[in-house]
Amino acid sequence: MNRLQSLVVGLAIPLAAACDVESKHRDTHGIDVGDASGASQPDGGNADADAGAPAAPAVRGYVVIDTDYQSTVVSLLSAEGDVASASFIASGSADPGLSAPLSGDVVPPTMIVPGPEVVLLDRYPASVLTWVDLSTAKVRAQLSVAQGFASNPHDYAPYSATKAFVPRYEPNLASGKKPFDSGNDVLVIDPSVPEIEASIDLMPALAGEPSGFYPRADRALFAGGKLRVLCVGYNSDFTKNIDSRIVTIDPDSESITDVLVFKGMKGCGTLALSPDGARLAVACEGSFGEDPSTGFPDAGVLVLDVAEKLAETNRFTSVDLGVRAQVGTVEWTGPTTLLFSTLGRFDSDQKTPLAEDTVRFLDTDSGEVASAVLLQSKTTPFSLGDIRCSVRQGLCLVSDAETNGGVLQRFTIGANGAVSLKDQVKVDTGLGLPPHNIGEF
């Protein structure tokens, strides 16, 4: 979900689920994942990029979040993109043991979570993490990371069986009343308990910036053995923003070791690690409220080399790409090729569509954008959502909340990372909630 949608939905969604979810989703069930207990922990991708990063974990399947932003159904797909459990767990699920029901703002982690469980982030205002067993669909544990305020956890980066990191998006302007209640941070948690163990303050990453701005920690992952956290940088009411940046954190010392500022780029909130672990791609939405005639020059795609300190090697602004639109998300289809999405927009009345969402292909070496649009929304902006690709499986999934009431569009990856549309699959066959977010396990 992009920043504008997150803000609007966060103000609108109720904590309770829609009453109809439970009645249509009593048949929740898990899937057979084989011997998941032996799946290795990532240990932060424990190698320097210069020495050759370890291969990415194999994708066992996909976690799909189907939602109308009031209720949520979580579905599971196989590694081939076929539906394995249409209703794994839902807002109204009674049997699995949800002490805090899932709201309408649930997302999966950016990284693959190894082992026998799926982790779900219930963002705003719930601020709850949930661990669900893949084979039984039973909830092992839930952990509130609110600490007295709606902290809005935006990601979950596993490091070992007893250590994971959770960036929190919101500041707490009335902190000091409870432990770990400051916000503007990355929490260190022990998922085996689960419990909060420490907090890494991200305010130092804004050194030199005017007062009144907050890090707004968004997506995070491990690359080159270090935790890399995107900070979007907004003020309290989202009316102003500063240049986005990526913060590098040593997972053992739990300290900030580097801050790379993306000068002139705003709203950089999603990232993806290349299949060989050598590069990061970052998608920047730019500033909302900009005059579209400018072409959104602070939006685009950045490519970073992974090393002890990240280095920006390529910058493709919206104007450079020829799309003149905000960029939503990005995903690699090969060592130097990727898919990215652009966001549509409404007129000032917020009802009349002026531009559609698109999905496009980019060769980062040449900077060439394929002339053909791979996918395009029909009538409703913000209907195309997450993109997830597995180069090993030769598969890309794109969430499409508009076509046939909501489907996943499936693409095959061919030579040189190019993709072609294969088919579409309906995921939630009960309530028929449209898919929006996609994760991996």
Side-chain angles (χ1 to χ4, degrees), residues 54-403:
V59 175
R60 295 173 291 162
Y62 298 90
V63 185
V64 180
I65 309 299
D66 315 297
T67 182
D68 59 2
Y69 300 125
Q70 291 187 332
S71 304
T72 293
V73 173
V74 179
S75 305
L76 300 181
L77 274 63
S78 70
E80 295 73 32
D82 298 317
V83 177
S85 176
S87 178
F88 174 61
I89 192 169
S91 295
S93 298
D95 295 338
L98 283 167
S99 58
L102 299 179
S103 76
D105 189 12
V106 177
V107 298
T110 298
M111 292 181 64
I112 293 177
V113 178
E117 296 177 328
V118 163
V119 178
L120 303 173
L121 295 106
D122 206 330
R123 284 182 167 179
Y124 188 92
S127 308
V128 171
L129 307 183
T130 302
W131 287 262
V132 191
D133 187 275
L134 281 163
S135 61
T136 66
K138 302 294 184 182
V139 173
R140 172 178 67 85
Q142 290 186 290
L143 175 67
S144 172
V145 294
Q147 298 305 106
F149 73 111
S151 65
N152 199 357
H154 263 226
D155 216 337
Y156 175 92
Y159 183 62
S160 71
T162 58
K163 196 171 195 177
F165 297 85
V166 180
R168 296 195 295 180
Y169 194 78
E170 299 294 332
N172 183 6
L173 304 184
S175 61
K177 300 176 182 179
K178 300 183 71 172
F180 310 116
D181 73 345
S182 63
N184 302 312
D185 62 356
V186 174
L187 290 181
V188 183
I189 70 167
D190 182 345
S192 68
V193 179
E195 65 181 1
I196 301 171
E197 294 193 327
S199 168
I200 303 169
D201 183 15
L202 291 177
M203 286 302 291
L206 270 58
E209 299 290 355
S211 61
F213 289 94
Y214 304 98
R216 303 287 182 182
D218 208 323
R219 289 295 191 168
L221 53 71
F222 281 99
K226 305 295 182 183
L227 181 66
R228 319 291 183 164
V229 183
L230 284 177
C231 292
V232 186
Y234 279 100
N235 62 356
S236 59
D237 62 1
F238 296 91
T239 56
K240 297 179 181 180
N241 56 1
I242 55 178
D243 292 337
S244 294
R245 59 210 64 206
I246 190 165
V247 179
T248 295
I249 294 174
D250 183 281
D252 297 315
S253 66
E254 299 170 8
S255 60
I256 295 174
T257 61
D258 188 54
V259 178
L260 176 61
V261 179
F262 305 135
K263 293 183 179 179
M265 301 298 283
K266 307 288 181 67
C268 305
T270 60
L271 77 173
L273 186 64
S274 63
D276 59 5
R279 303 206 288 179
L280 281 171
V282 177
C284 303
E285 293 179 354
S287 302
F288 281 98
E290 283 185 84
D291 182 352
S293 66
T294 65
F296 300 97
D298 55 2
V301 176
L302 307 175
V303 179
L304 317 177
D305 270 356
V306 174
E308 185 74 16
K309 289 188 175 182
L310 299 176
E312 182 182 328
T313 57
N314 300 88
R315 174 177 293 199
F316 308 98
T317 69
S318 176
V319 177
D320 297 333
L321 294 169
V323 297
R324 304 182 69 83
Q326 295 176 279
V327 176
T329 190
V330 65
E331 182 72 307
W332 295 92
T333 64
T336 63
T337 56
L338 51 83
L339 298 183
F340 70 94
S341 66
T342 67
L343 305 180
R345 63 182 184 275
F346 291 101
D347 199 352
S348 57
D349 61 7
Q350 295 303 310
K351 295 180 180 179
T352 306
L354 292 181
E356 59 282 327
D357 305 338
T358 69
V359 174
R360 300 168 185 258
F361 178 82
L362 170 66
D363 185 319
T364 62
D365 278 351
S366 66
E368 294 184 4
V369 179
S371 57
V373 174
L374 296 170
L375 193 64
Q376 181 173 304
S377 61
K378 296 177 177 62
T379 59
T380 308
F382 306 118
S383 61
L384 298 183
D386 266 358
I387 304 172
R388 282 283 180 157
C389 298
S390 169
V391 176
R392 287 184 181 181
Q393 294 289 339
L395 175 70
C396 285
L397 301 174
V398 180
S399 64
D400 177 352
E402 184 179 38
T403 300

